[in-house]
Amino acid sequence: MILTVTLNTALDITYRVGALRPHASHRVSAVAERPGGKGVNVARVLAALGHEATVTGFAGGATGRAVRELLAGTAGVVDALLPVAGATRRTIAVVDERTGDTTQLNEPGPQIAPAEWGAFLDHYEELLPGASAVALCGSLPPGVPVGAYAGLIKAARSAGVPVLLDTSGEPLRRGVAARPDLVKPNTDELAELTGSHDPSRATQDARRRGARTVVASLGPQGLLALTPDGRWHATPPTREHGNPTGAGDSAVAGLLSALVEQLPWPTRLTRAVALSAATVRAPAAGEFDRVAYEKLLGQITVTGDITAA
């Protein structure tokens, strides 16, 4: 079982409009609702790849109930969310069908009480022994300590479970110092962490700060990985146009599934980039176009060298 932690779960709502114009009314051509938050998206993709995934974090209010009802219909995903008094947030993606661009609106999430956070820590430690890997994903809801991910990383390492961190800002900085097995920032998050806008230099700095492996998302330029075994750059054949929501989460699912399967790094990166690109082609957040994914697997270019990083 792969455990994904989404402390700030969401109900992802995607609207499609003919053309998005400021200060104008719009007719929505299609609406989709999915259980969301980064770790939930990761779990859904893992399940589609044939891995059993367990989702934990918080869910509350009417939105939280909707998230759990939708999760119940997702084969291969086990709901281990904890109830809280506050209401789970919503995220709104508005897709402009004319340009393919997406505008994203994200609510902050519920206020988590100290007792609710303490209950989660106990719950998390109970889940760890059954996990083959852990993904810690996304933002922290109000009330959760800024060093929360660092503590969760240390608990996973004590249990002998490899852990991936995908977050930003101060939670990323503190989390990296706790020595996760893998971090997956995008270029902006990596620059904020290290102060460098050169991805090659920034990945080296992130490793020096504690991460065993750094996989940086370069957007249309694919993924750059700095590992103990070497450095690789994986790129898709073309720039994808569509809804990018969840593309990074699909990359995380690709990396985690390949880690559990003990695949070599070039194969891990090929899977992650293909999944990410196929997610941009999908109509709603947290899904990927399987036909496109299988085609893209043979079109990803991986360059690099096998040297000690």
Side-chain angles (χ1 to χ4, degrees):
M1 173 270 285
I2 299 175
L3 178 64
T4 71
V5 176
T6 311
L7 297 176
N8 211 3
T9 54
L11 180 66
D12 285 343
I13 303 170
T14 302
Y15 294 127
R16 303 186 71 87
V17 299
L20 182 61
R21 302 181 303 278
H23 318 297
S25 296
H26 297 78
R27 290 190 178 276
V28 176
S29 60
V31 181
E33 291 188 352
R34 298 289 186 275
K38 293 179 73 63
V40 175
N41 291 338
V42 170
R44 187 184 301 109
V45 175
L46 285 169
L49 293 172
H51 289 268
E52 180 183 325
T54 295
V55 172
T56 192
F58 301 112
T63 310
R65 288 193 296 274
V67 166
R68 301 190 80 165
E69 288 171 2
L70 290 167
L71 272 180
T74 306
V77 176
V78 175
D79 175 359
L81 296 169
L82 286 184
V84 292
T88 294
R89 66 190 177 127
R90 296 163 296 180
T91 65
I92 311 296
V94 183
V95 180
D96 184 323
E97 294 179 326
R98 177 177 55 86
T99 64
D101 294 333
T102 300
T103 299
Q104 190 81 17
L105 304 172
N106 297 330
E107 296 178 355
Q111 180 74 33
I112 304 301
E116 292 170 333
W117 176 239
F120 174 79
L121 291 176
D122 292 339
H123 183 57
Y124 175 73
E125 296 217 5
E126 291 172 357
L127 291 168
L128 280 176
S132 56
V134 175
L136 306 175
C137 303
S139 62
L140 302 178
V144 171
V146 70
Y149 283 138
L152 298 181
I153 289 166
K154 291 174 183 177
R157 287 175 58 84
S158 295
V161 181
V163 56
L164 180 154
L165 177 64
D166 184 14
T167 188
S168 60
E170 186 65 11
L172 174 61
R173 189 184 71 80
R174 297 199 187 192
V176 165
R179 305 184 65 81
D181 295 274
L182 194 157
V183 294
K184 195 214 70 64
N186 61 33
T187 50
D188 290 339
E189 293 161 351
L190 193 58
E192 184 180 7
L193 172 68
T194 65
S196 175
H197 291 274
D198 176 356
S200 180
R201 180 176 298 175
T203 52
Q204 291 178 329
D205 189 358
R207 279 206 72 211
R208 285 194 293 268
R209 290 168 183 260
R212 186 168 186 269
T213 291
V214 181
V215 178
S217 175
L218 308 181
Q221 284 74 49
L223 295 175
L224 175 66
L226 183 61
T227 83
D229 302 318
R231 177 191 298 274
W232 287 273
H233 184 195
T235 55
T238 59
R239 183 188 182 107
E240 299 292 339
H241 295 280
N243 181 4
T245 306
D249 306 330
S250 291
V252 168
L255 293 169
L256 271 178
S257 61
L259 180 155
V260 170
E261 295 170 29
Q262 300 182 331
L263 299 178
W265 269 107
T267 306
R268 297 186 194 190
L269 295 172
T270 294
R271 179 181 292 182
V273 172
L275 281 169
S276 181
T279 297
V280 175
R281 296 190 188 184
E287 297 182 350
F288 67 94
D289 184 322
R290 184 172 290 276
V291 173
Y293 164 64
E294 293 175 353
K295 182 178 180 180
L296 283 161
L297 283 173
Q299 299 176 339
I300 305 302
T301 301
V302 182
T303 58
D305 60 280
I306 305 175
T307 57

